[in-house]
Amino acid sequence: MSRADRVAARLGERSADLLLVSDLVNIRYLTGFTGSSAMAVVGPGTRRFITDFRYVERARAEVDAFELERAPQEFAEVLKAGWPEGPVRLGFEDQHVSVRQHARLREVLPDRIELVSAGGLVEAERAVKEPAEVEAIRIAAALVDGIYDWLFETGLVGRTEREVALALEEEMRRRGASGPSFPSIVASAEHGALPHAEPRDVEIREGVLVTLDIGAVVDGYCSDGTRTWATGEIDGDLAAIYDLVLRAQEAALGAVRAGPTGREVDAVARDMIAAEGHGEHFGHGLGHGVGLEVHEGPRLSRSGPEPLVAGNVVTVEPGVYVPGRGGVRIEDLVVVTDNGCTVLSATSKALRTVG
């Protein structure tokens, strides 16, 4: 069964007859199209693909099993026609469609077409990876492991956070990535207390912790991995925090398998961290899905209600962030299996000292 077939089979969940797909990531997942302008309509016996003049030839090369339609000016004009007879409940991706876009759809669609919210149907399929997708993510993760090896050899001390971030992103492109899957995080000393710190024009000094959060995109698929290194001897409280985060991360990895909810796995690490007095210093979720986007389903968090299933690819990344002192985050990328998980991140998690 194709991806489009599987999505069409889900339409009953939203009482929809057809699904209008407008999110470009979802369109790529369903059709293989890599351009920046397209829509698709999917349903039992319906496979419409709409693009404009710029991408017609690309669509002919990339998109199979869909009827190609060229939009003359705006996509809405094409959507005036081509629908089955009688009333049609047309699902739309409400998490991606603006109020203005919805109003325009309502303006051009025939009155017999009823718009119904149907966001998340494609994302639900994307959450369970096919073997080829897992392999693409594995390659992207291995590339990041290579970047960590390269960084360890080239060193951090005396370079600014921004210099390191720019250099590692250039290096990942040299090694075959199309680019980073998110802006790289290089956060030293007290700056590491910001989970999503932006690299500064500040030199990395000796005797501090440095958090490095790196992801690469290879063939459209993302990776995500974090390591925290020392640049010399660090204070005992920071070493203790590192030990705590590592123990919590390993315990959470041991809980990842098909069956538990994201909330339950999150609690394994969160309870350990809270028990040692740092509950207020771990404010984000334990992890998230990774695939065509670096943040997608499922969620490992206090609000993650869905059970994990085999084929999910998720991060496991607890952290402790102490204002004015610094932070520690350790993150692996894993594939969920029936009986556990396969870890894709190979870089050592021991507290390493880098020059």
Side-chain angles (χ1 to χ4, degrees), residues 125-150:
E125 287 298 322
R126 283 171 46 193
V128 181
K129 270 58 179 182
E130 301 164 1
E133 294 180 286
V134 172
E135 178 61 13
I137 297 169
R138 185 195 66 76
I139 292 171
L143 190 149
V144 166
D145 285 326
I147 294 297
Y148 277 120
D149 290 341
W150 175 80

Side-chain angles (χ1 to χ4, degrees), residues 255-262 264-265 305-310 312 336-339:
V256 173
R257 65 183 186 281
T261 66
E264 290 169 336
V265 178
E306 297 298 325
L308 298 178
V309 300
N312 290 153
V336 179
T337 65
D338 288 327
N339 300 312

Side-chain angles (χ1 to χ4, degrees), residues 125-263:
E125 287 298 322
R126 283 171 46 193
V128 181
K129 270 58 179 182
E130 301 164 1
E133 294 180 286
V134 172
E135 178 61 13
I137 297 169
R138 185 195 66 76
I139 292 171
L143 190 149
V144 166
D145 285 326
I147 294 297
Y148 277 120
D149 290 341
W150 175 80
L151 275 175
F152 194 78
E153 293 172 1
T154 55
L156 300 176
V157 175
R159 305 166 71 186
T160 70
E161 294 172 352
R162 191 187 304 276
E163 286 172 357
V164 173
L166 290 173
L168 71 86
E169 291 182 2
E170 180 180 1
E171 182 66 17
M172 72 171 60
R173 288 185 172 92
R174 293 182 189 276
R175 295 176 181 230
S178 58
S181 48
F182 55 90
S184 301
I185 295 173
V186 180
S188 64
E190 70 286 346
H191 199 49
L194 281 64
H196 280 183
E198 297 179 355
R200 306 167 297 173
D201 288 318
V202 172
E203 284 191 2
I204 300 170
R205 62 182 191 270
E206 293 184 355
V208 300
L209 290 175
V210 182
T211 298
L212 302 154
D213 192 348
I214 306 170
V217 180
V218 179
D219 293 331
Y221 283 84
C222 301
S223 65
D224 190 1
T226 305
R227 293 294 183 264
T228 302
W229 292 344
T231 58
E233 186 174 352
I234 58 173
D235 292 340
D237 64 324
L238 295 177
I241 289 171
Y242 190 95
D243 177 70
L244 170 60
V245 173
L246 180 56
R247 286 187 285 114
Q249 203 263 351
E250 292 284 4
L253 282 177
V256 173
R257 65 183 186 281
T261 66
R263 182 186 298 115

Side-chain angles (χ1 to χ4, degrees), residues 1 47 49 58 68 100-101 151 156 199 240 245-246 267 275 291 337:
M1 184 180 290
R47 300 290 184 273
F49 182 87
R58 177 181 290 193
L68 175 61
R100 177 173 293 184
Q101 290 168 334
L151 275 175
L156 300 176
V245 173
L246 180 56
T337 65

Side-chain angles (χ1 to χ4, degrees), residues 265-303:
V265 178
D266 175 273
V268 171
R270 193 170 303 280
D271 290 350
M272 287 182 64
I273 291 171
E276 297 198 23
H278 286 289
E280 66 178 311
H281 298 142
F282 178 26
H284 58 72
L286 176 68
H288 54 84
V290 175
L292 287 170
E293 293 180 294
V294 76
H295 288 93
E296 54 183 54
R299 293 177 297 164
L300 278 61
S301 71
R302 286 172 286 191
S303 58

